[in-house]
Amino acid sequence: MKTPASIRPVRKAVFPVAGLGTRFLPATKVMPKEMLPINDRPLIQHVFEEARSAGIEEFIFITGRYKDMLIEHFDYQPELMGVLESRGKADLVQKVRDSEMPAGKLFTTRQPKALGLGHAVWCAKKLVGDEPFAVLLPDDIIQHPQGCLSQMMDVYRERGGNVVATKDIPRNQTHKYGILDVASDNGKTVSVKGLVEKPSPETAPSTLCIIGRYILQPEVFEYLDAFETGAGNEIQLTDAMAKLLGRQAFHGLRFDGQHFDCGSRLGFIAANLAYGMNDPDIGEDVKKLIGK
Ligand code: G1P
């Protein structure tokens, strides 16, 4: 299906990576939580690869203090490459190459204070400019051959507007997420008429939550500019998105693939087991290890 001319391509992705990672202390005392590995690559590389395979061309990191390692990770490492090549380790050379950012495509800015996800995204306003963009939260890892963002791009190319990834959660969990208020639902995509950040189970308009993947129109910055605080006294992205409703189309996609909340230690371990089981080198041994 041909994309209508009014639907502009999504070329840029924002990665908020300024968080402290307190749930993983002391591992994250010096090392950014986004550098914790799921199998053989750090969290940030999983989301980078998902964005790249969805067609993203420019990568914007919102960093903070002690996050320089994240930038280093994507740099070209001539000494390491030289050693691997001289030893004939073609497979490792390829793996390291996969972690390189194309020249001139990585942009960084800083969020000086942890004022909320909305504020983190607002920090990218200048770098995003006047075009649609994606946001990927590295805490949310989704295991799927096509990738979650690529699935969302399919929806976006057909319908335009704004798209978030969504999944059904138990009602007693609604206070941990942004929750959708649904106008219509075809089982795969939902049309959104309201958005609430971290509502109590009693007041939540549904049990469909936002998972950390967004395709947004630049008009969201008009609302983020207000610096209004919401749930947890933070500047919430969900609240700014809610203000776009009625003005622009808004869809939720029940994506295919398994989601892991790697912001929690349990989700992190589950992700490591799932990616380990899927690994051609160690998969069978991982399965034996856990009796699968
Ligand atoms: C953020 C968003 C929330 C979303 C969640 C997904 O919350 O504010 O709407 O559901 O990410 O992971 P946080 O996890 O930063 O509290």
Side-chain angles (χ1 to χ4, degrees):
M1 187 180 178
K2 204 170 172 296
T3 306
S6 59
I7 298 178
R8 296 189 289 167
V10 182
R11 302 184 312 112
K12 300 182 179 181
V14 173
F15 301 80
V17 290
L20 287 179
T22 48
R23 278 184 278 183
F24 286 90
L25 282 169
T28 49
K29 191 175 154 192
V30 176
M31 187 174 69
K33 69 168 174 176
E34 297 82 6
M35 286 302 293
L36 294 172
I38 302 293
N39 194 18
D40 58 357
R41 59 204 67 197
L43 283 166
I44 187 68
Q45 191 179 331
H46 282 278
V47 282
F48 161 70
E49 289 183 14
E50 183 184 325
R52 182 175 57 187
S53 73
I56 294 296
E57 295 165 18
E58 294 186 12
F59 305 85
I60 302 168
F61 286 10
I62 317 296
T63 71
R65 288 187 298 288
Y66 312 117
K67 296 282 182 166
D68 294 350
M69 200 190 283
L70 288 170
I71 314 299
E72 284 290 318
H73 177 74
F74 289 99
D75 215 342
Y76 175 54
Q77 269 260 25
E79 300 86 2
L80 176 63
M81 289 304 241
V83 171
L84 295 176
E85 271 159 10
S86 70
R87 291 183 186 169
K89 303 271 188 201
D91 51 339
L92 287 179
V93 167
Q94 191 50 48
K95 273 194 170 190
V96 176
R97 229 171 244 152
D98 284 345
S99 70
E100 285 167 14
M101 193 69 80
K105 300 296 184 192
L106 173 60
F107 301 86
T108 69
T109 187
R110 288 169 81 107
Q111 184 193 26
K113 285 186 191 166
L115 298 179
L117 178 61
H119 180 259
V121 171
W122 175 86
C123 292
K125 181 179 173 180
K126 181 88 180 161
L127 292 169
V128 169
D130 185 29
E131 56 181 290
F133 63 104
V135 178
L136 296 97
L137 308 186
D139 275 357
D140 287 315
I141 293 294
I142 295 144
Q143 189 182 33
H144 188 265
Q146 185 188 350
C148 179
L149 187 63
S150 167
Q151 296 171 39
M152 291 164 66
M153 292 285 204
D154 290 344
V155 174
Y156 174 75
R157 279 188 286 265
E158 218 175 277
R159 305 181 180 205
N162 304 270
V163 185
V164 292
T166 187
K167 78 169 190 185
D168 244 310
I169 47 156
R171 188 162 271 277
N172 65 7
Q173 303 283 305
T174 57
H175 61 290
K176 296 184 182 165
Y177 299 94
I179 301 291
L180 310 183
D181 192 356
V182 174
S184 63
D185 186 347
N186 73 7
K188 190 73 194 155
T189 54
V190 300
S191 169
V192 178
K193 66 170 180 194
L195 291 155
V196 193
E197 182 66 14
K198 302 195 170 79
S200 66
E202 299 76 45
T203 59
S206 79
T207 52
L208 277 179
C209 80
I210 302 173
I211 295 302
R213 300 289 184 276
Y214 308 76
I215 294 174
L216 298 172
Q217 295 299 318
E219 286 75 19
V220 74
F221 289 114
E222 294 172 20
Y223 303 110
L224 289 173
D225 276 340
F227 276 26
E228 264 172 47
T229 52
N233 211 23
E234 293 187 342
I235 300 168
Q236 296 291 355
L237 181 60
T238 305
D239 295 344
M241 297 189 313
K243 297 200 170 108
L244 285 173
L245 295 164
R247 181 175 171 188
Q248 294 176 347
F250 218 111
H251 292 95
L253 170 67
R254 285 193 183 88
F255 53 91
D256 292 327
Q258 201 177 353
H259 164 245
F260 300 96
D261 172 11
C262 295
S264 83
R265 283 187 285 147
L266 190 60
F268 177 77
I269 288 171
N272 262 303
L273 290 175
Y275 279 78
M277 281 193 284
N278 215 22
D279 185 303
D281 296 334
I282 60 167
E284 290 312 312
D285 288 336
V286 175
K287 283 181 198 160
K288 268 188 224 149
L289 189 73
I290 57 172
K292 283 246 176 177

Coordinates of all heavy atoms in Angstrom, one line a residue, residues 61-113:
F61 N 20.6 10.8 21.6 CA 20.6 10.3 23.0 C 20.5 11.5 24.0 O 21.2 12.5 23.8 CB 22.0 9.7 23.3 CG 22.2 8.3 22.6 CD1 21.3 7.8 21.7 CD2 23.3 7.6 23.0 CE1 21.5 6.5 21.1 CE2 23.5 6.3 22.4 CZ 22.6 5.8 21.5
I62 N 19.5 11.3 24.9 CA 19.4 12.3 26.0 C 20.2 11.8 27.2 O 19.7 10.9 27.9 CB 17.9 12.5 26.4 CG1 17.0 12.6 25.2 CG2 17.8 13.7 27.3 CD1 17.2 13.8 24.3
T63 N 21.3 12.3 27.4 CA 22.2 11.7 28.4 C 22.2 12.6 29.7 O 21.5 13.6 29.8 CB 23.6 11.5 27.9 OG1 24.3 12.8 27.8 CG2 23.6 10.8 26.6
G64 N 23.1 12.2 30.6 CA 23.3 13.0 31.8 C 24.7 12.7 32.3 O 25.5 12.2 31.6
R65 N 24.9 13.1 33.6 CA 26.2 12.8 34.2 C 26.5 11.3 34.2 O 25.7 10.5 34.4 CB 26.3 13.4 35.6 CG 26.3 14.9 35.6 CD 26.6 15.5 37.0 NE 25.5 15.1 37.9 CZ 24.3 15.6 37.9 NH1 24.0 16.5 36.9 NH2 23.4 15.3 38.7
Y66 N 27.8 10.9 34.0 CA 28.3 9.6 34.0 C 27.7 8.7 32.9 O 27.6 7.5 33.1 CB 28.1 8.9 35.4 CG 28.5 9.8 36.5 CD1 27.6 10.3 37.4 CD2 29.8 10.2 36.7 CE1 27.9 11.1 38.5 CE2 30.2 11.1 37.7 CZ 29.3 11.5 38.6 OH 29.7 12.4 39.6
K67 N 27.4 9.3 31.8 CA 26.8 8.4 30.7 C 27.7 8.4 29.5 O 27.2 7.9 28.4 CB 25.4 9.0 30.4 CG 24.4 8.9 31.5 CD 23.8 7.5 31.6 CE 22.8 7.5 32.7 NZ 22.0 6.2 32.7
D68 N 28.9 8.9 29.6 CA 29.8 8.9 28.4 C 30.0 7.6 27.8 O 30.2 7.5 26.6 CB 31.1 9.6 28.8 CG 30.9 11.0 29.2 OD1 29.8 11.6 29.0 OD2 31.9 11.6 29.7
M69 N 30.0 6.5 28.6 CA 30.3 5.2 28.1 C 29.3 4.8 27.0 O 29.6 4.0 26.1 CB 30.2 4.2 29.3 CG 30.9 2.9 29.0 SD 30.5 1.7 30.3 CE 31.5 2.3 31.6
L70 N 28.1 5.3 27.1 CA 27.1 5.0 26.1 C 27.5 5.5 24.7 O 27.2 4.9 23.7 CB 25.7 5.6 26.4 CG 25.0 5.0 27.6 CD1 23.8 5.9 28.0 CD2 24.5 3.6 27.2
I71 N 28.1 6.6 24.7 CA 28.6 7.2 23.4 C 29.8 6.5 22.9 O 29.9 6.1 21.7 CB 28.9 8.7 23.6 CG1 27.9 9.5 24.4 CG2 29.2 9.4 22.3 CD1 26.5 9.5 23.9
E72 N 30.7 6.2 23.8 CA 31.9 5.4 23.5 C 31.5 4.1 22.8 O 32.2 3.6 21.9 CB 32.7 5.1 24.7 CG 33.5 6.2 25.3 CD 34.7 6.6 24.4 OE1 35.4 5.7 23.9 OE2 34.9 7.8 24.3
H73 N 30.5 3.5 23.4 CA 30.1 2.1 22.9 C 29.9 2.1 21.4 O 30.1 1.1 20.8 CB 28.9 1.6 23.7 CG 28.4 0.3 23.2 ND1 29.1 -0.9 23.5 CD2 27.4 -0.1 22.4 CE1 28.5 -1.9 22.9 NE2 27.5 -1.4 22.2
F74 N 29.3 3.1 20.9 CA 29.0 3.1 19.4 C 30.1 3.7 18.5 O 29.9 3.8 17.3 CB 27.7 3.9 19.2 CG 26.5 3.2 19.8 CD1 26.0 3.5 21.1 CD2 25.9 2.2 19.1 CE1 24.9 2.9 21.6 CE2 24.8 1.5 19.6 CZ 24.3 1.8 20.9
D75 N 31.2 4.0 19.1 CA 32.3 4.5 18.3 C 33.1 3.4 17.6 O 33.0 2.3 17.9 CB 33.3 5.3 19.3 CG 33.8 6.5 18.6 OD1 33.8 6.6 17.3 OD2 34.3 7.4 19.3
Y76 N 33.8 3.8 16.6 CA 34.7 3.0 15.8 C 36.0 2.7 16.7 O 36.5 3.6 17.3 CB 35.1 3.6 14.5 CG 36.2 2.9 13.7 CD1 36.0 1.6 13.3 CD2 37.3 3.6 13.3 CE1 36.9 0.9 12.6 CE2 38.3 2.9 12.5 CZ 38.1 1.6 12.2 OH 39.0 0.9 11.4
Q77 N 36.4 1.4 16.8 CA 37.5 1.0 17.7 C 38.6 0.4 16.9 O 38.7 -0.8 16.8 CB 37.0 0.0 18.7 CG 36.4 0.5 20.0 CD 37.4 0.4 21.1 OE1 38.6 0.4 20.8 NE2 37.0 0.3 22.3
P78 N 39.5 1.3 16.3 CA 40.5 0.7 15.4 C 41.4 -0.3 16.0 O 41.7 -1.3 15.3 CB 41.2 2.0 14.9 CG 40.8 3.1 15.8 CD 39.6 2.7 16.5
E79 N 41.8 -0.1 17.2 CA 42.8 -1.0 17.8 C 42.2 -2.4 18.0 O 42.7 -3.4 17.6 CB 43.3 -0.6 19.2 CG 44.0 0.8 19.3 CD 43.0 2.0 19.4 OE1 41.8 1.7 19.5 OE2 43.4 3.1 19.3
L80 N 40.9 -2.4 18.5 CA 40.2 -3.7 18.7 C 40.0 -4.4 17.4 O 40.3 -5.6 17.3 CB 38.9 -3.4 19.4 CG 38.0 -4.6 19.6 CD1 38.6 -5.7 20.5 CD2 36.7 -4.2 20.2
M81 N 39.6 -3.6 16.4 CA 39.3 -4.2 15.1 C 40.6 -4.8 14.5 O 40.6 -5.9 13.9 CB 38.7 -3.2 14.1 CG 37.3 -2.8 14.4 SD 36.2 -4.1 14.5 CE 35.1 -3.7 13.2
G82 N 41.7 -4.1 14.7 CA 43.0 -4.5 14.2 C 43.4 -5.9 14.8 O 43.8 -6.8 14.1
V83 N 43.2 -6.0 16.1 CA 43.6 -7.2 16.8 C 42.7 -8.3 16.3 O 43.2 -9.4 16.0 CB 43.5 -7.0 18.3 CG1 43.6 -8.3 19.1 CG2 44.5 -6.0 18.8
L84 N 41.4 -8.1 16.2 CA 40.5 -9.2 15.8 C 40.7 -9.6 14.4 O 40.7 -10.8 14.1 CB 39.0 -8.7 16.0 CG 38.5 -8.4 17.4 CD1 37.1 -7.9 17.4 CD2 38.6 -9.6 18.3
E85 N 41.0 -8.7 13.5 CA 41.3 -9.0 12.1 C 42.6 -9.8 12.0 O 42.6 -10.8 11.3 CB 41.4 -7.7 11.3 CG 40.0 -7.4 10.7 CD 39.9 -5.9 10.3 OE1 40.9 -5.2 10.3 OE2 38.7 -5.4 10.1
S86 N 43.6 -9.4 12.8 CA 44.9 -10.1 12.7 C 44.8 -11.5 13.2 O 45.5 -12.4 12.8 CB 46.0 -9.3 13.4 OG 45.8 -9.4 14.8
R87 N 43.8 -11.7 14.1 CA 43.6 -13.1 14.6 C 42.6 -13.9 13.8 O 42.2 -15.0 14.2 CB 43.1 -13.0 16.1 CG 44.2 -12.5 17.0 CD 43.6 -12.5 18.4 NE 44.6 -11.9 19.3 CZ 44.3 -11.6 20.6 NH1 43.1 -11.8 21.1 NH2 45.2 -11.0 21.4
G88 N 42.1 -13.3 12.7 CA 41.2 -14.0 11.8 C 39.8 -14.2 12.4 O 39.1 -15.1 12.1
K89 N 39.4 -13.4 13.4 CA 38.1 -13.5 14.0 C 37.0 -12.8 13.3 O 36.5 -11.8 13.8 CB 38.2 -13.0 15.5 CG 39.3 -13.6 16.3 CD 38.7 -14.8 17.0 CE 39.7 -15.4 18.0 NZ 39.5 -16.8 18.3
A90 N 36.6 -13.3 12.1 CA 35.7 -12.6 11.3 C 34.3 -12.4 11.9 O 33.7 -11.4 11.8 CB 35.5 -13.3 10.0
D91 N 33.9 -13.4 12.7 CA 32.6 -13.3 13.4 C 32.5 -12.2 14.4 O 31.6 -11.4 14.5 CB 32.2 -14.7 14.0 CG 33.3 -15.2 14.9 OD1 34.5 -14.8 14.7 OD2 33.0 -16.0 15.8
L92 N 33.7 -12.1 15.1 CA 33.7 -11.0 16.2 C 33.8 -9.6 15.5 O 33.2 -8.7 16.0 CB 34.9 -11.2 17.1 CG 34.7 -12.4 18.1 CD1 35.9 -12.5 19.0 CD2 33.4 -12.1 19.0
V93 N 34.6 -9.6 14.4 CA 34.7 -8.3 13.7 C 33.3 -7.8 13.3 O 32.9 -6.7 13.4 CB 35.6 -8.5 12.4 CG1 35.5 -7.3 11.5 CG2 37.1 -8.7 12.8
Q94 N 32.5 -8.8 12.8 CA 31.1 -8.4 12.4 C 30.3 -8.0 13.5 O 29.6 -7.0 13.4 CB 30.5 -9.6 11.7 CG 29.2 -9.3 11.0 CD 29.2 -8.1 10.1 OE1 30.2 -7.9 9.2 NE2 28.3 -7.1 10.2
K95 N 30.4 -8.7 14.7 CA 29.7 -8.3 15.9 C 30.0 -6.9 16.3 O 29.1 -6.1 16.7 CB 30.0 -9.2 17.0 CG 29.1 -10.5 17.0 CD 29.2 -11.2 18.4 CE 28.2 -12.3 18.5 NZ 28.1 -12.8 19.8
V96 N 31.3 -6.6 16.3 CA 31.7 -5.2 16.7 C 31.2 -4.2 15.7 O 30.8 -3.1 16.1 CB 33.3 -5.1 16.9 CG1 33.7 -3.7 17.3 CG2 33.7 -6.1 18.0
R97 N 31.3 -4.5 14.4 CA 30.8 -3.6 13.4 C 29.3 -3.3 13.6 O 28.9 -2.1 13.4 CB 31.0 -4.2 12.0 CG 31.7 -3.2 11.1 CD 32.1 -3.9 9.8 NE 33.6 -3.9 9.7 CZ 34.3 -4.7 9.0 NH1 33.7 -5.7 8.4 NH2 35.6 -4.6 8.9
D98 N 28.6 -4.3 14.0 CA 27.1 -4.0 14.2 C 26.9 -3.0 15.3 O 25.8 -2.5 15.4 CB 26.5 -5.4 14.7 CG 26.3 -6.3 13.5 OD1 26.4 -5.8 12.3 OD2 26.0 -7.5 13.7
S99 N 27.9 -2.8 16.2 CA 27.7 -1.8 17.3 C 28.2 -0.4 16.9 O 28.2 0.4 17.8 CB 28.4 -2.3 18.5 OG 29.8 -2.2 18.4
E100 N 28.6 -0.2 15.6 CA 29.1 1.1 15.3 C 27.9 2.0 14.7 O 27.1 1.5 14.0 CB 30.1 1.0 14.2 CG 31.5 0.5 14.8 CD 32.4 0.0 13.7 OE1 32.2 0.3 12.5 OE2 33.4 -0.6 14.0
M101 N 28.0 3.2 15.1 CA 27.0 4.2 14.7 C 27.5 4.8 13.3 O 28.7 5.1 13.3 CB 26.9 5.3 15.7 CG 25.8 6.2 15.6 SD 24.2 5.6 16.0 CE 24.1 5.5 17.7
P102 N 26.7 4.9 12.3 CA 27.2 5.6 11.1 C 27.7 7.0 11.4 O 27.2 7.7 12.3 CB 26.0 5.6 10.2 CG 24.9 4.9 10.9 CD 25.3 4.6 12.3
A103 N 28.8 7.4 10.6 CA 29.4 8.7 10.9 C 28.3 9.8 10.8 O 27.5 9.8 9.8 CB 30.5 9.0 9.9
G104 N 28.3 10.8 11.7 CA 27.4 11.9 11.6 C 26.0 11.7 11.9 O 25.1 12.5 11.6
K105 N 25.7 10.5 12.5 CA 24.3 10.1 12.7 C 23.9 10.0 14.2 O 22.8 9.8 14.6 CB 24.0 8.8 12.1 CG 24.2 8.8 10.6 CD 23.3 9.7 9.9 CE 23.4 9.7 8.4 NZ 22.7 10.8 7.7
L106 N 24.9 10.2 15.1 CA 24.6 10.2 16.5 C 24.7 11.6 17.1 O 25.7 12.3 16.9 CB 25.7 9.3 17.3 CG 25.6 9.3 18.8 CD1 24.2 8.8 19.3 CD2 26.7 8.4 19.4
F107 N 23.6 12.0 17.7 CA 23.5 13.3 18.3 C 23.2 13.2 19.8 O 22.5 12.3 20.2 CB 22.4 14.1 17.7 CG 22.6 14.2 16.2 CD1 22.2 13.2 15.3 CD2 23.3 15.3 15.6 CE1 22.4 13.3 13.9 CE2 23.5 15.4 14.3 CZ 23.1 14.4 13.4
T108 N 23.8 14.0 20.6 CA 23.5 13.9 22.0 C 23.2 15.3 22.6 O 23.7 16.3 22.1 CB 24.7 13.3 22.8 OG1 25.8 14.3 22.8 CG2 25.3 12.1 22.3
T109 N 22.4 15.2 23.6 CA 22.1 16.4 24.4 C 21.9 15.9 25.8 O 21.8 14.7 26.1 CB 20.9 17.2 23.9 OG1 20.9 18.5 24.6 CG2 19.6 16.5 24.0
R110 N 21.9 16.9 26.8 CA 21.9 16.4 28.2 C 20.6 16.9 28.8 O 20.1 18.0 28.5 CB 23.1 16.9 28.9 CG 24.3 16.1 28.4 CD 25.6 16.7 28.9 NE 25.9 16.3 30.3 CZ 26.9 15.5 30.6 NH1 27.6 14.9 29.7 NH2 27.2 15.3 31.9
Q111 N 20.1 16.0 29.8 CA 19.0 16.5 30.6 C 19.7 16.7 32.0 O 20.1 15.8 32.7 CB 18.0 15.3 30.8 CG 16.8 15.8 31.6 CD 15.9 14.6 32.0 OE1 16.3 13.5 32.0 NE2 14.6 14.9 32.2
P112 N 19.9 18.0 32.4 CA 20.6 18.2 33.6 C 20.0 17.8 34.9 O 20.7 17.4 35.8 CB 20.8 19.8 33.6 CG 20.1 20.3 32.4 CD 19.4 19.2 31.7
K113 N 18.6 17.7 34.9 CA 18.0 17.3 36.1 C 16.9 16.3 35.7 O 16.2 16.4 34.7 CB 17.3 18.5 36.8 CG 18.2 19.4 37.5 CD 17.4 20.4 38.3 CE 18.3 21.5 38.8 NZ 17.5 22.7 39.3

